[in-house]
Amino acid sequence: MENGMCKGELEQWNFTPNKELLKSSENSVRSFLHMLISNLPNPIHNLTQDEGESTRPVIPLGHGDPSNFPCFRTTPVAEDCLIDSIRSAKYNCYPPCTGMLPARKAVANYLSTDLPYELTAEDVFLSNGCTQAVEIMMAVLASPGANVLLPCPAYPLYEGRAICSGIEARYFHLLPENGWEVDLDNVEAIADSNTVAMLLANPANPCGNVFSYEHLSKVKLSFSF
Ligand SMILES: Cc1ncc(COP(=O)(O)O)c(C=O)c1O
């Protein structure tokens, strides 16, 4: 007897990956980068060693993580704060899933310096990076018939998370000839009363541009219908 079934009756588990999600993540920049790196004759982490005259060094231009390089160090102030917090034994608890109150207060104070209004800790939800934040936002915004506006090209995570939450992903164009600015006419054409969010990653990924304040205020205007 296994799992309530006799041996001869064993059925196959019927787990299959979500095909829509697979489709939305198959063209990520990182997958191509990994494919290229895995085909290099010398692993990138050996670059600092003397590799002989016949080998051309490879300059890794696809690194997103500065900690791979010893010249990028976290400030000692941040390191000391972390060590002091751990040694204080004040934060060994099972914390609230929205983040510890002192941390949320600190984030609210920091962000309020650039805003015309004051944020409070209640306005802050701390997550484990963008991926978790996007999951939470999509789940919160999901309602029957809702759609989100995503840039094309976009980081693939957003479409995948929209699909998981039953939200329709609609794409607006970024214009390469205008430094990857938003095609505002296109945004107006695809937005409707069921649009619950529009994504603008700034600096943008994968295009790497930074939107000017002037352009961002035009985007805001085109979206306030
Ligand atoms: C636009 C964008 N969204 C989300 C993510 C995922 O962020 P995280 O690694 O913090 O989960 C990235 C990571 O590069 C990103 O560039």
Side-chain angles (χ1 to χ4, degrees), residues 12-104:
Q12 292 285 315
W13 292 110
N14 200 18
F15 297 140
T16 51
N18 182 327
K19 290 196 181 68
E20 293 290 327
L21 269 184
L22 279 181
K23 202 167 66 187
S24 75
S25 62
E26 70 193 2
N27 284 331
S28 73
V29 173
R30 199 171 290 244
S31 60
F32 287 103
L33 187 66
H34 284 158
M35 190 257 288
L36 288 172
I37 289 173
S38 61
N39 283 302
L40 287 176
N42 301 299
I44 279 183
H45 58 264
N46 282 343
L47 283 180
T48 48
Q49 292 170 8
D50 183 4
E51 292 172 355
E53 280 174 27
S54 61
T55 316
R56 288 170 61 188
V58 177
I59 302 172
L61 297 177
H63 269 307
D65 179 1
S67 70
N68 278 310
F69 303 93
C71 58
F72 290 103
R73 287 295 308 265
T74 306
T75 167
V77 177
E79 290 175 353
D80 290 343
C81 283
L82 211 58
I83 291 165
D84 290 348
S85 298
I86 294 167
R87 292 224 165 103
S88 75
K90 284 189 199 159
Y91 304 103
N92 292 345
C93 58
Y94 181 9
C97 62
T98 54
M100 307 278 285
L101 189 59
R104 285 163 51 217

Coordinates of all heavy atoms in Angstrom, one line a residue, residues 12-104:
Q12 N 0.4 8.1 -11.7 CA 1.5 9.1 -11.8 C 1.0 10.4 -11.2 O -0.2 10.7 -11.3 CB 1.8 9.4 -13.3 CG 2.4 8.3 -14.1 CD 3.9 8.2 -13.7 OE1 4.6 9.2 -13.7 NE2 4.3 7.0 -13.5
W13 N 1.9 11.1 -10.4 CA 1.5 12.4 -10.0 C 1.3 13.3 -11.2 O 2.0 13.2 -12.1 CB 2.6 13.0 -9.1 CG 2.7 12.3 -7.8 CD1 3.8 11.5 -7.4 CD2 1.8 12.2 -6.7 NE1 3.6 11.0 -6.1 CE2 2.4 11.4 -5.7 CE3 0.6 12.8 -6.5 CZ2 1.7 11.2 -4.5 CZ3 -0.1 12.6 -5.2 CH2 0.5 11.8 -4.3
N14 N 0.3 14.2 -11.1 CA 0.0 15.0 -12.3 C 0.5 16.4 -12.1 O -0.3 17.3 -12.4 CB -1.5 14.9 -12.4 CG -1.9 15.3 -13.9 OD1 -1.0 15.2 -14.7 ND2 -3.1 15.6 -14.1
F15 N 1.8 16.6 -11.7 CA 2.3 17.9 -11.6 C 2.9 18.4 -12.9 O 3.7 17.7 -13.5 CB 3.4 18.0 -10.6 CG 3.0 17.7 -9.2 CD1 3.8 16.9 -8.3 CD2 1.8 18.1 -8.7 CE1 3.4 16.6 -7.1 CE2 1.4 17.8 -7.4 CZ 2.2 17.0 -6.6
T16 N 2.5 19.5 -13.4 CA 3.1 20.1 -14.6 C 3.4 21.6 -14.3 O 2.6 22.2 -13.6 CB 2.3 20.0 -15.9 OG1 1.0 20.5 -15.6 CG2 2.2 18.5 -16.4
P17 N 4.4 22.1 -14.9 CA 4.7 23.5 -14.6 C 3.6 24.4 -15.3 O 3.0 23.9 -16.3 CB 6.0 23.8 -15.3 CG 6.4 22.6 -15.9 CD 5.4 21.5 -15.7
N18 N 3.4 25.6 -14.8 CA 2.4 26.5 -15.4 C 3.0 27.0 -16.7 O 4.0 27.7 -16.8 CB 2.2 27.7 -14.4 CG 1.2 28.7 -14.9 OD1 1.1 28.9 -16.1 ND2 0.5 29.3 -14.0
K19 N 2.4 26.6 -17.9 CA 2.9 26.8 -19.2 C 3.0 28.3 -19.5 O 4.0 28.8 -20.1 CB 2.1 26.2 -20.3 CG 2.2 24.6 -20.2 CD 1.7 24.0 -21.5 CE 1.8 22.5 -21.5 NZ 0.9 21.9 -20.5
E20 N 2.0 29.1 -19.0 CA 2.0 30.6 -19.3 C 3.3 31.2 -18.6 O 3.9 32.1 -19.2 CB 0.8 31.2 -18.7 CG -0.5 30.8 -19.4 CD -0.5 31.4 -20.8 OE1 0.0 32.5 -21.0 OE2 -1.1 30.7 -21.7
L21 N 3.5 30.7 -17.4 CA 4.7 31.3 -16.6 C 6.0 30.9 -17.3 O 6.9 31.8 -17.4 CB 4.7 30.7 -15.2 CG 4.0 31.5 -14.2 CD1 4.2 30.9 -12.8 CD2 4.5 32.9 -14.1
L22 N 6.1 29.7 -17.8 CA 7.3 29.3 -18.5 C 7.6 30.1 -19.7 O 8.7 30.6 -20.0 CB 7.2 27.8 -18.9 CG 7.5 26.7 -17.9 CD1 7.4 25.4 -18.5 CD2 8.9 26.9 -17.3
K23 N 6.5 30.4 -20.4 CA 6.6 31.2 -21.7 C 7.0 32.6 -21.3 O 7.9 33.2 -22.0 CB 5.2 31.2 -22.3 CG 5.3 31.6 -23.8 CD 3.9 31.3 -24.5 CE 2.9 32.3 -24.0 NZ 1.6 32.1 -24.4
S24 N 6.5 33.2 -20.2 CA 6.9 34.6 -19.9 C 8.3 34.7 -19.4 O 8.8 35.8 -19.4 CB 5.9 35.2 -19.0 OG 6.1 34.7 -17.7
S25 N 8.9 33.6 -19.0 CA 10.3 33.8 -18.4 C 11.4 33.2 -19.4 O 12.5 33.3 -19.1 CB 10.4 33.1 -17.1 OG 10.1 31.7 -17.2
E26 N 10.9 32.7 -20.6 CA 11.9 32.0 -21.4 C 12.9 32.9 -22.1 O 14.0 32.5 -22.4 CB 11.3 31.0 -22.3 CG 10.5 31.7 -23.5 CD 9.7 30.7 -24.2 OE1 9.6 29.5 -23.9 OE2 9.0 31.1 -25.2
N27 N 12.5 34.2 -22.2 CA 13.4 35.1 -22.9 C 14.2 36.1 -22.0 O 14.4 37.2 -22.4 CB 12.6 36.0 -23.9 CG 12.3 35.1 -25.1 OD1 13.0 34.2 -25.5 ND2 11.2 35.4 -25.8
S28 N 14.4 35.7 -20.8 CA 15.1 36.7 -19.9 C 16.5 36.9 -20.3 O 17.2 36.0 -20.9 CB 15.0 36.2 -18.4 OG 16.0 35.1 -18.2
V29 N 17.0 38.1 -20.0 CA 18.4 38.5 -20.4 C 19.3 37.5 -19.7 O 20.3 37.0 -20.2 CB 18.7 39.9 -20.0 CG1 20.1 40.3 -20.2 CG2 17.8 40.9 -20.8
R30 N 19.0 37.2 -18.4 CA 19.9 36.4 -17.6 C 20.1 35.0 -18.2 O 21.1 34.4 -18.1 CB 19.3 36.3 -16.1 CG 20.3 35.9 -15.1 CD 19.8 36.0 -13.8 NE 19.6 37.4 -13.4 CZ 20.2 38.0 -12.4 NH1 21.1 37.3 -11.7 NH2 20.0 39.2 -12.1
S31 N 19.0 34.4 -18.8 CA 19.1 33.1 -19.3 C 20.1 33.1 -20.5 O 21.0 32.2 -20.6 CB 17.8 32.5 -19.7 OG 17.2 33.3 -20.7
F32 N 20.1 34.1 -21.3 CA 21.1 34.2 -22.4 C 22.5 34.5 -21.8 O 23.5 33.9 -22.3 CB 20.7 35.3 -23.4 CG 19.5 35.0 -24.2 CD1 18.3 35.5 -23.9 CD2 19.7 34.0 -25.2 CE1 17.2 35.1 -24.7 CE2 18.6 33.7 -26.0 CZ 17.3 34.2 -25.7
L33 N 22.6 35.3 -20.8 CA 23.9 35.5 -20.2 C 24.5 34.2 -19.6 O 25.7 33.9 -19.8 CB 23.7 36.6 -19.0 CG 25.0 37.1 -18.4 CD1 25.8 37.9 -19.4 CD2 24.6 37.9 -17.2
H34 N 23.7 33.5 -18.9 CA 24.2 32.2 -18.4 C 24.6 31.3 -19.5 O 25.6 30.6 -19.3 CB 23.1 31.5 -17.5 CG 22.9 32.2 -16.2 ND1 21.8 32.1 -15.4 CD2 23.8 33.0 -15.5 CE1 21.9 32.7 -14.3 NE2 23.1 33.3 -14.3
M35 N 23.8 31.3 -20.6 CA 24.2 30.4 -21.7 C 25.6 30.8 -22.2 O 26.4 30.0 -22.5 CB 23.1 30.5 -22.7 CG 23.2 29.5 -23.9 SD 23.8 30.3 -25.3 CE 22.4 31.3 -25.8
L36 N 25.8 32.1 -22.4 CA 27.1 32.6 -22.9 C 28.2 32.3 -22.0 O 29.2 31.8 -22.4 CB 27.0 34.1 -23.2 CG 26.1 34.6 -24.3 CD1 26.0 36.1 -24.3 CD2 26.8 34.1 -25.6
I37 N 28.0 32.5 -20.7 CA 29.0 32.3 -19.7 C 29.4 30.8 -19.6 O 30.6 30.5 -19.6 CB 28.6 32.8 -18.3 CG1 28.6 34.4 -18.3 CG2 29.6 32.3 -17.2 CD1 28.0 35.0 -17.1
S38 N 28.4 30.0 -19.7 CA 28.7 28.5 -19.6 C 29.5 28.0 -20.8 O 30.1 27.0 -20.8 CB 27.4 27.7 -19.4 OG 26.6 27.9 -20.5
N39 N 29.5 28.8 -21.9 CA 30.2 28.4 -23.1 C 31.6 29.0 -23.2 O 32.3 28.8 -24.1 CB 29.4 28.7 -24.3 CG 28.3 27.7 -24.5 OD1 28.6 26.5 -24.6 ND2 27.1 28.1 -24.5
L40 N 32.0 29.8 -22.1 CA 33.3 30.5 -22.2 C 34.4 29.4 -21.9 O 34.2 28.5 -21.1 CB 33.4 31.6 -21.1 CG 32.6 32.9 -21.4 CD1 32.7 33.8 -20.2 CD2 33.2 33.5 -22.6
P41 N 35.5 29.6 -22.5 CA 36.6 28.6 -22.3 C 37.2 28.7 -20.9 O 37.6 27.7 -20.3 CB 37.7 29.0 -23.3 CG 37.3 30.3 -23.8 CD 35.9 30.5 -23.6
N42 N 37.1 29.9 -20.3 CA 37.7 30.1 -18.9 C 36.6 30.7 -18.0 O 36.0 31.7 -18.3 CB 38.8 31.1 -18.9 CG 39.9 30.6 -19.8 OD1 40.5 29.6 -19.6 ND2 40.2 31.4 -20.8
P43 N 36.4 30.1 -16.8 CA 35.4 30.6 -15.9 C 35.7 32.0 -15.5 O 36.9 32.4 -15.3 CB 35.4 29.7 -14.7 CG 36.3 28.6 -15.1 CD 37.1 28.9 -16.3
I44 N 34.7 32.9 -15.4 CA 34.9 34.3 -15.1 C 35.6 34.5 -13.8 O 36.4 35.4 -13.7 CB 33.6 35.0 -15.2 CG1 33.3 35.3 -16.7 CG2 33.6 36.3 -14.4 CD1 32.0 36.1 -17.0
H45 N 35.3 33.6 -12.8 CA 35.9 33.9 -11.5 C 37.4 33.7 -11.5 O 38.1 34.0 -10.5 CB 35.2 33.1 -10.4 CG 35.3 31.7 -10.6 ND1 34.2 31.0 -11.2 CD2 36.2 30.7 -10.4 CE1 34.5 29.7 -11.3 NE2 35.7 29.5 -10.8
N46 N 38.0 33.2 -12.6 CA 39.5 33.0 -12.6 C 40.2 34.1 -13.3 O 41.4 34.1 -13.6 CB 39.8 31.7 -13.4 CG 39.6 30.5 -12.5 OD1 39.5 30.6 -11.3 ND2 39.5 29.3 -13.1
L47 N 39.4 35.2 -13.7 CA 40.0 36.2 -14.5 C 41.2 36.9 -13.9 O 42.1 37.3 -14.7 CB 39.0 37.3 -14.8 CG 37.9 36.9 -15.8 CD1 36.9 38.0 -16.0 CD2 38.6 36.5 -17.2
T48 N 41.3 37.0 -12.6 CA 42.4 37.8 -12.0 C 43.7 36.9 -12.0 O 44.7 37.5 -11.8 CB 42.1 38.1 -10.6 OG1 41.6 37.0 -9.9 CG2 41.0 39.2 -10.5
Q49 N 43.6 35.6 -12.3 CA 44.8 34.8 -12.3 C 45.5 35.0 -13.6 O 44.9 35.3 -14.7 CB 44.4 33.3 -12.1 CG 43.9 33.1 -10.7 CD 43.3 31.7 -10.6 OE1 43.5 30.9 -11.5 NE2 42.7 31.4 -9.5
D50 N 46.8 34.7 -13.6 CA 47.6 34.8 -14.9 C 47.1 33.6 -15.8 O 47.3 32.5 -15.5 CB 49.0 34.7 -14.5 CG 49.9 34.8 -15.8 OD1 49.3 35.1 -16.9 OD2 51.1 34.7 -15.7
E51 N 46.6 34.0 -16.9 CA 46.0 32.9 -17.7 C 46.8 32.6 -19.0 O 46.4 31.9 -19.9 CB 44.6 33.3 -18.2 CG 43.7 33.3 -17.0 CD 42.3 33.9 -17.3 OE1 42.1 34.4 -18.4 OE2 41.5 33.8 -16.4
G52 N 48.0 33.2 -19.0 CA 48.9 32.8 -20.1 C 48.7 33.7 -21.3 O 47.6 34.3 -21.4
E53 N 49.6 33.8 -22.2 CA 49.6 34.8 -23.3 C 48.5 34.4 -24.4 O 48.0 35.3 -25.0 CB 50.9 34.9 -24.0 CG 51.9 35.8 -23.2 CD 53.2 35.8 -23.8 OE1 53.3 35.5 -25.0 OE2 54.2 36.0 -23.1
S54 N 48.2 33.1 -24.5 CA 47.4 32.7 -25.6 C 45.9 33.0 -25.3 O 45.0 32.9 -26.1 CB 47.6 31.2 -25.9 OG 47.3 30.5 -24.7
T55 N 45.5 33.2 -24.0 CA 44.1 33.4 -23.6 C 43.7 34.8 -23.5 O 44.4 35.6 -22.8 CB 43.9 32.7 -22.2 OG1 44.6 31.5 -22.2 CG2 42.4 32.5 -22.0
R56 N 42.7 35.2 -24.2 CA 42.2 36.6 -24.1 C 41.3 36.7 -22.9 O 40.4 35.9 -22.7 CB 41.4 36.9 -25.4 CG 42.3 37.1 -26.6 CD 41.6 37.2 -27.8 NE 40.7 38.4 -27.8 CZ 39.8 38.6 -28.8 NH1 39.6 37.8 -29.8 NH2 39.0 39.7 -28.7
P57 N 41.5 37.7 -22.1 CA 40.7 37.9 -20.9 C 39.3 38.3 -21.3 O 39.1 38.9 -22.3 CB 41.4 39.0 -20.1 CG 42.2 39.7 -21.1 CD 42.5 38.8 -22.2
V58 N 38.3 37.8 -20.5 CA 36.9 38.1 -20.8 C 36.5 39.2 -19.7 O 36.7 39.1 -18.5 CB 36.0 36.9 -20.6 CG1 34.6 37.2 -20.8 CG2 36.5 35.8 -21.6
I59 N 35.9 40.3 -20.2 CA 35.4 41.3 -19.3 C 33.9 41.1 -19.1 O 33.1 41.1 -20.1 CB 35.6 42.7 -19.9 CG1 37.1 42.9 -20.2 CG2 35.1 43.8 -19.0 CD1 37.4 44.2 -21.0
P60 N 33.5 40.7 -17.9 CA 32.1 40.4 -17.7 C 31.2 41.7 -17.6 O 31.2 42.3 -16.6 CB 32.1 39.7 -16.3 CG 33.3 40.2 -15.6 CD 34.3 40.6 -16.7
L61 N 30.5 42.0 -18.7 CA 29.7 43.2 -18.7 C 28.3 43.0 -18.2 O 27.5 43.9 -18.2 CB 29.7 43.8 -20.1 CG 31.1 44.3 -20.6 CD1 31.0 44.8 -22.0 CD2 31.7 45.4 -19.7
G62 N 28.0 41.7 -17.9 CA 26.6 41.4 -17.6 C 26.4 41.3 -16.1 O 25.3 40.8 -15.7
H63 N 27.3 41.7 -15.2 CA 27.1 41.5 -13.8 C 26.1 42.5 -13.2 O 26.3 43.7 -13.4 CB 28.5 41.7 -13.1 CG 29.2 40.5 -12.9 ND1 28.7 39.3 -12.3 CD2 30.5 40.1 -13.2 CE1 29.6 38.4 -12.3 NE2 30.7 38.8 -12.8
G64 N 25.1 42.0 -12.5 CA 24.2 42.9 -11.9 C 24.5 43.0 -10.4 O 24.0 43.9 -9.7
D65 N 25.5 42.2 -9.9 CA 25.8 42.2 -8.5 C 27.1 42.8 -8.2 O 28.2 42.1 -8.5 CB 25.7 40.8 -8.0 CG 26.0 40.7 -6.5 OD1 26.2 41.7 -5.8 OD2 25.9 39.5 -6.0
P66 N 27.2 44.0 -7.7 CA 28.6 44.6 -7.5 C 29.4 43.9 -6.5 O 30.6 44.0 -6.5 CB 28.2 46.0 -7.0 CG 26.8 46.1 -6.6 CD 26.1 44.9 -7.3
S67 N 28.8 43.1 -5.6 CA 29.6 42.4 -4.6 C 30.6 41.4 -5.1 O 31.4 40.8 -4.4 CB 28.7 41.8 -3.5 OG 28.1 40.7 -4.0
N68 N 30.5 41.1 -6.5 CA 31.4 40.2 -7.1 C 32.8 40.9 -7.2 O 33.8 40.2 -7.4 CB 31.0 39.9 -8.5 CG 30.0 38.8 -8.6 OD1 30.2 37.8 -8.0 ND2 28.9 39.0 -9.2
F69 N 32.9 42.2 -7.0 CA 34.1 42.9 -7.1 C 34.6 43.5 -5.8 O 33.8 44.2 -5.1 CB 34.0 44.0 -8.2 CG 33.5 43.5 -9.5 CD1 32.2 43.5 -9.8 CD2 34.4 43.0 -10.4 CE1 31.7 43.0 -11.0 CE2 34.0 42.5 -11.6 CZ 32.7 42.5 -11.9
P70 N 35.8 43.2 -5.4 CA 36.2 43.7 -4.0 C 36.2 45.2 -3.9 O 36.2 45.7 -2.7 CB 37.7 43.1 -3.9 CG 38.1 42.7 -5.3 CD 36.9 42.5 -6.1
C71 N 36.2 46.0 -5.0 CA 36.3 47.4 -4.8 C 34.9 48.0 -4.4 O 34.8 49.1 -3.9 CB 36.7 48.1 -6.1 SG 35.7 47.7 -7.5
F72 N 33.8 47.2 -4.5 CA 32.5 47.7 -4.1 C 32.2 47.1 -2.7 O 32.0 45.9 -2.6 CB 31.4 47.3 -5.0 CG 31.5 48.0 -6.4 CD1 32.0 47.3 -7.5 CD2 31.0 49.3 -6.5 CE1 32.1 48.0 -8.7 CE2 31.1 49.9 -7.7 CZ 31.6 49.3 -8.8
R73 N 32.4 47.9 -1.7 CA 32.1 47.5 -0.3 C 30.9 48.2 0.3 O 30.7 49.3 0.0 CB 33.4 47.8 0.6 CG 34.6 46.9 0.3 CD 34.3 45.4 0.7 NE 33.8 45.2 2.0 CZ 34.6 44.9 3.0 NH1 35.9 44.8 2.9 NH2 34.0 44.8 4.2
T74 N 30.2 47.4 1.1 CA 29.1 48.1 1.9 C 29.8 49.0 2.9 O 30.8 48.7 3.4 CB 28.3 47.0 2.7 OG1 27.9 46.0 1.7 CG2 27.1 47.6 3.4
T75 N 29.1 50.2 3.1 CA 29.7 51.1 4.1 C 29.9 50.5 5.5 O 28.9 49.8 5.9 CB 28.9 52.4 4.1 OG1 29.3 53.2 5.3 CG2 27.4 52.1 4.3
P76 N 31.0 50.7 6.2 CA 31.2 50.2 7.5 C 30.1 50.6 8.5 O 29.7 49.8 9.4 CB 32.5 50.8 8.0 CG 33.2 51.2 6.7 CD 32.2 51.5 5.7
V77 N 29.4 51.7 8.2 CA 28.3 52.1 9.1 C 27.2 51.1 9.1 O 26.7 50.7 10.1 CB 27.8 53.5 8.7 CG1 26.6 53.9 9.5 CG2 28.8 54.6 8.7
A78 N 26.9 50.7 7.8 CA 25.8 49.7 7.7 C 26.2 48.3 8.3 O 25.4 47.6 8.9 CB 25.4 49.5 6.2
E79 N 27.5 47.9 8.0 CA 28.0 46.7 8.6 C 27.9 46.7 10.1 O 27.4 45.7 10.7 CB 29.4 46.4 8.1 CG 29.6 46.1 6.6 CD 31.0 46.0 6.2 OE1 31.9 46.3 7.0 OE2 31.3 45.6 5.1
D80 N 28.3 47.8 10.7 CA 28.4 47.9 12.2 C 26.9 47.8 12.7 O 26.7 47.2 13.8 CB 29.1 49.2 12.6 CG 30.6 49.1 12.4 OD1 31.1 48.0 12.1 OD2 31.2 50.1 12.4
C81 N 26.0 48.5 12.0 CA 24.6 48.6 12.5 C 24.0 47.2 12.6 O 23.4 46.8 13.5 CB 23.7 49.4 11.6 SG 23.9 51.1 11.8
L82 N 24.3 46.4 11.5 CA 23.8 45.1 11.4 C 24.4 44.2 12.5 O 23.6 43.5 13.2 CB 24.2 44.5 10.0 CG 23.3 43.5 9.4 CD1 21.9 44.1 9.2 CD2 23.9 43.1 8.0
I83 N 25.7 44.3 12.7 CA 26.3 43.5 13.7 C 25.8 43.8 15.1 O 25.4 43.0 15.9 CB 27.9 43.6 13.7 CG1 28.4 43.0 12.4 CG2 28.6 43.0 14.9 CD1 29.8 43.4 12.0
D84 N 25.7 45.2 15.4 CA 25.1 45.6 16.7 C 23.7 45.1 16.9 O 23.4 44.6 18.0 CB 25.1 47.1 16.8 CG 26.5 47.7 16.8 OD1 27.5 46.9 17.1 OD2 26.7 48.9 16.6
S85 N 22.9 45.1 15.8 CA 21.5 44.7 16.0 C 21.5 43.2 16.3 O 20.7 42.7 17.2 CB 20.7 44.8 14.7 OG 20.7 46.2 14.4
I86 N 22.3 42.4 15.6 CA 22.3 40.9 15.9 C 22.8 40.7 17.3 O 22.2 39.9 18.0 CB 23.2 40.2 14.8 CG1 22.6 40.3 13.5 CG2 23.4 38.7 15.2 CD1 23.5 39.9 12.3
R87 N 23.9 41.4 17.7 CA 24.4 41.1 19.1 C 23.5 41.6 20.2 O 23.5 41.1 21.3 CB 25.8 41.8 19.2 CG 26.9 41.2 18.3 CD 28.2 41.1 19.1 NE 29.1 40.1 18.4 CZ 30.1 40.5 17.6 NH1 30.4 41.8 17.5 NH2 30.8 39.6 17.0
S88 N 22.6 42.6 19.9 CA 21.7 43.1 20.9 C 20.7 42.1 21.4 O 20.1 42.2 22.4 CB 21.0 44.4 20.4 OG 20.0 44.0 19.5
A89 N 20.4 41.1 20.5 CA 19.4 40.0 20.8 C 18.0 40.6 20.9 O 17.1 40.0 21.4 CB 19.8 39.2 22.0
K90 N 17.8 41.8 20.4 CA 16.5 42.5 20.5 C 15.6 42.0 19.4 O 14.4 42.3 19.4 CB 16.6 44.0 20.5 CG 17.1 44.6 21.8 CD 16.9 46.1 21.6 CE 17.8 46.9 22.6 NZ 18.0 48.3 22.1
Y91 N 16.2 41.5 18.3 CA 15.5 41.3 17.1 C 15.4 39.8 16.7 O 15.4 39.4 15.5 CB 16.1 42.1 15.9 CG 16.1 43.6 16.3 CD1 17.3 44.2 16.7 CD2 15.0 44.3 16.3 CE1 17.3 45.5 17.0 CE2 15.0 45.7 16.7 CZ 16.2 46.3 17.1 OH 16.2 47.6 17.4
N92 N 15.5 38.9 17.7 CA 15.5 37.5 17.4 C 14.1 36.9 17.3 O 13.9 35.7 17.3 CB 16.3 36.7 18.5 CG 17.8 37.0 18.4 OD1 18.2 37.6 17.4 ND2 18.5 36.7 19.4
C93 N 13.1 37.8 17.3 CA 11.7 37.4 17.4 C 11.2 36.9 16.1 O 11.9 36.9 15.0 CB 10.9 38.6 17.8 SG 11.1 39.9 16.7
Y94 N 10.0 36.4 16.1 CA 9.3 36.1 14.8 C 8.6 37.4 14.4 O 7.6 37.8 14.9 CB 8.2 35.0 15.2 CG 7.4 34.5 14.1 CD1 7.6 34.8 12.7 CD2 6.3 33.6 14.3 CE1 6.8 34.3 11.7 CE2 5.5 33.1 13.3 CZ 5.8 33.4 12.0 OH 5.0 32.9 11.0
P95 N 9.2 38.0 13.4 CA 8.8 39.4 13.1 C 7.5 39.5 12.3 O 7.1 38.5 11.7 CB 9.9 40.0 12.3 CG 10.5 38.8 11.6 CD 10.3 37.6 12.5
P96 N 6.8 40.7 12.3 CA 5.6 40.8 11.5 C 6.0 40.6 10.0 O 7.1 41.1 9.6 CB 5.1 42.2 11.8 CG 6.1 42.8 12.8 CD 7.2 41.9 13.0
C97 N 5.1 40.1 9.2 CA 5.5 39.8 7.8 C 5.6 41.1 7.0 O 6.1 41.2 5.9 CB 4.6 38.8 7.1 SG 2.9 39.4 7.1
T98 N 5.1 42.2 7.6 CA 5.2 43.5 6.9 C 6.5 44.2 7.2 O 6.8 45.3 6.7 CB 4.1 44.5 7.3 OG1 4.1 44.5 8.7 CG2 2.7 43.9 6.8
G99 N 7.3 43.7 8.1 CA 8.6 44.3 8.5 C 8.6 44.8 9.9 O 7.5 45.1 10.5
M100 N 9.7 44.9 10.5 CA 9.8 45.3 11.9 C 9.4 46.8 12.0 O 9.8 47.6 11.1 CB 11.2 45.2 12.5 CG 11.8 43.8 12.3 SD 11.3 42.7 13.6 CE 12.3 43.3 15.0
L101 N 8.7 47.2 13.0 CA 8.2 48.6 13.1 C 9.4 49.6 13.0 O 9.3 50.6 12.3 CB 7.4 48.8 14.4 CG 6.7 50.1 14.6 CD1 5.7 50.3 13.4 CD2 6.0 50.1 15.9
P102 N 10.5 49.5 13.8 CA 11.6 50.5 13.7 C 12.1 50.6 12.2 O 12.4 51.7 11.8 CB 12.7 50.0 14.6 CG 12.0 49.0 15.5 CD 10.9 48.4 14.8
A103 N 12.2 49.5 11.5 CA 12.7 49.5 10.2 C 11.7 50.3 9.3 O 12.0 51.1 8.4 CB 12.9 48.1 9.7
R104 N 10.4 50.0 9.5 CA 9.4 50.6 8.6 C 9.3 52.1 8.9 O 9.1 52.9 8.0 CB 8.0 50.0 8.8 CG 7.9 48.6 8.1 CD 6.8 47.7 8.6 NE 5.6 48.4 8.6 CZ 4.6 48.2 9.6 NH1 4.9 47.3 10.6 NH2 3.5 48.8 9.5

